[in-house]
Amino acid sequence: MPRYDLHSHSTHSDGLLAPAAVVERAVARGVDFLALTDHDDTSGLPEAIAAADGTGMTLVPGAELSVSWESHTIHVIALQIDPSNAVLEAGLATIRSGRDSRAKLMSESLAAAGIKGAYEGARRYVTSERLISRTHFARFLVESGHVRETKDAFKRYLTPGKPGYVKHEWASLPDAVGWIHAAGGQAVVAHPGRYKVSPTGMRRFLGEFRDAGGDGVEVLSSSHTTAQYAEYAAYARTFGLLASCGSDYHGPGESWLDLGDLPAMPAGVTPVWTRW
Ligand code: AMP
Ligand code: MN
Ligand code: MN
Ligand code: MN
């Protein structure tokens, strides 16, 4: 069985390794198909594709799109996209465009809670001029001693209801799916087990996603428990969606799973790669 890891990040968003280093690590770990899926950006793909050339590993061009649905932020993975598609590129540019002003508002909110200089502090961790994310703030909060680990930064500061969280309007679900399809890709719900929605809400969401043309859900994810592997395999079956798997690797020391560290896909689902 080939090894698939269809969700990973590089320095072109909030990962710690450059695209070529992500590829090198995946090859060393025996991955056969790796998707680089940086947040709201495809600018790391040319480097990743070049690095994969001649290694025997296939680089799957991807991205992870930030979407607003009802009151939730949902991530939608794009797989097998044409990275130079103009419709997708324009869509991603609109998603990215709000990030800097959001970061300034986050900084003001943290300042009101007594934490000064967060914008400048977070910017020291930014590795792509095109994209600042909450992860960069989390790294600053650790460095400045406000929290011990990045996950505590999210728990105490960067999530809804906490100082430092700023509500933000991302892409709509139909727009995101449409842009991905325009680029010839598959649209896959990232880490569905992470969203704070009731079972009824999840069914409503997956129904809307499928009706918008969505293709699949991540069944295997570093955000999921073993019970959630089975739960989302069942959702995939009942909603007629394909199944995907990804470590969501961000870099050494910052991820639950390393590249390729995924169990076998549960029986009874149709993997996304059967349509490639
Ligand atoms: P943003 O797109 O700027 O809202 O940042 C979202 C990113 O923050 C995600 O892609 C993760 O990398 C990171 N993140 C979100 N929640 C957590 C958490 N609880 N622990 C660690 N990282 C998180
Ligand atoms: Mn991230
Ligand atoms: Mn995500
Ligand atoms: Mn991710």
Side-chain angles (χ1 to χ4, degrees), residues 9 14 39-40 64 66 75 99 102 132-135 150-151 154-155 159 170 194 250:
H9 297 276
D14 58 354
H39 296 286
D40 308 327
E64 182 174 14
S66 310
H75 287 171
R99 280 186 172 270
R102 166 195 186 233
I132 183 164
S133 95
R134 282 185 292 160
T135 308
T150 52
K151 72 170 180 348
F154 283 91
K155 216 180 276 171
T159 38
W170 304 104
R194 227 163 80 179
H250 280 72

Side-chain angles (χ1 to χ4, degrees), residues 44 74 84 178 188 261:
I74 304 280
S84 57
V188 174
D261 252 354

Side-chain angles (χ1 to χ4, degrees), residues 235-259:
Y235 274 120
R237 275 196 303 274
T238 50
F239 282 85
L241 292 163
L242 303 170
S244 189
C245 62
S247 64
D248 203 1
Y249 185 73
H250 280 72
E254 283 208 11
S255 295
W256 298 107
L257 290 181
D258 209 322
L259 290 165

Side-chain angles (χ1 to χ4, degrees), residues 73-132:
T73 296
I74 304 280
H75 287 171
V76 178
I77 295 286
L79 295 175
Q80 298 288 25
I81 46 168
D82 165 7
S84 57
N85 179 270
V87 174
L88 178 62
E89 280 313 295
L92 293 177
T94 56
I95 306 182
R96 287 195 306 272
S97 67
R99 280 186 172 270
D100 199 60
S101 50
R102 166 195 186 233
K104 287 180 176 141
L105 294 173
M106 286 170 62
S107 185
E108 284 171 22
S109 169
L110 286 167
I115 299 173
K116 308 279 186 242
Y119 178 76
E120 294 72 21
R123 279 200 62 89
R124 288 203 297 277
Y125 289 92
V126 166
T127 47
S128 162
E129 269 311 308
R130 294 154 65 90
L131 195 133
I132 183 164

Side-chain angles (χ1 to χ4, degrees), residues 132-207:
I132 183 164
S133 95
R134 282 185 292 160
T135 308
H136 303 115
F137 281 83
R139 291 180 188 143
F140 159 74
L141 289 167
V142 173
E143 169 210 87
S144 56
H146 291 94
V147 290
R148 292 247 306 271
E149 292 183 77
T150 52
K151 72 170 180 348
D152 300 322
F154 283 91
K155 216 180 276 171
R156 283 175 55 191
Y157 294 107
L158 303 172
T159 38
K162 303 293 160 61
Y165 183 78
V166 172
K167 198 171 156 28
H168 191 76
E169 204 55 45
W170 304 104
S172 76
L173 191 58
D175 279 354
V177 173
W179 299 334
I180 293 166
H181 285 172
Q186 294 167 309
V188 174
V189 181
H191 42 62
R194 227 163 80 179
Y195 309 120
K196 303 250 180 305
V197 294
S198 63
T200 316
M202 182 53 67
R203 285 195 290 274
R204 191 167 66 246
F205 169 69
L206 290 176

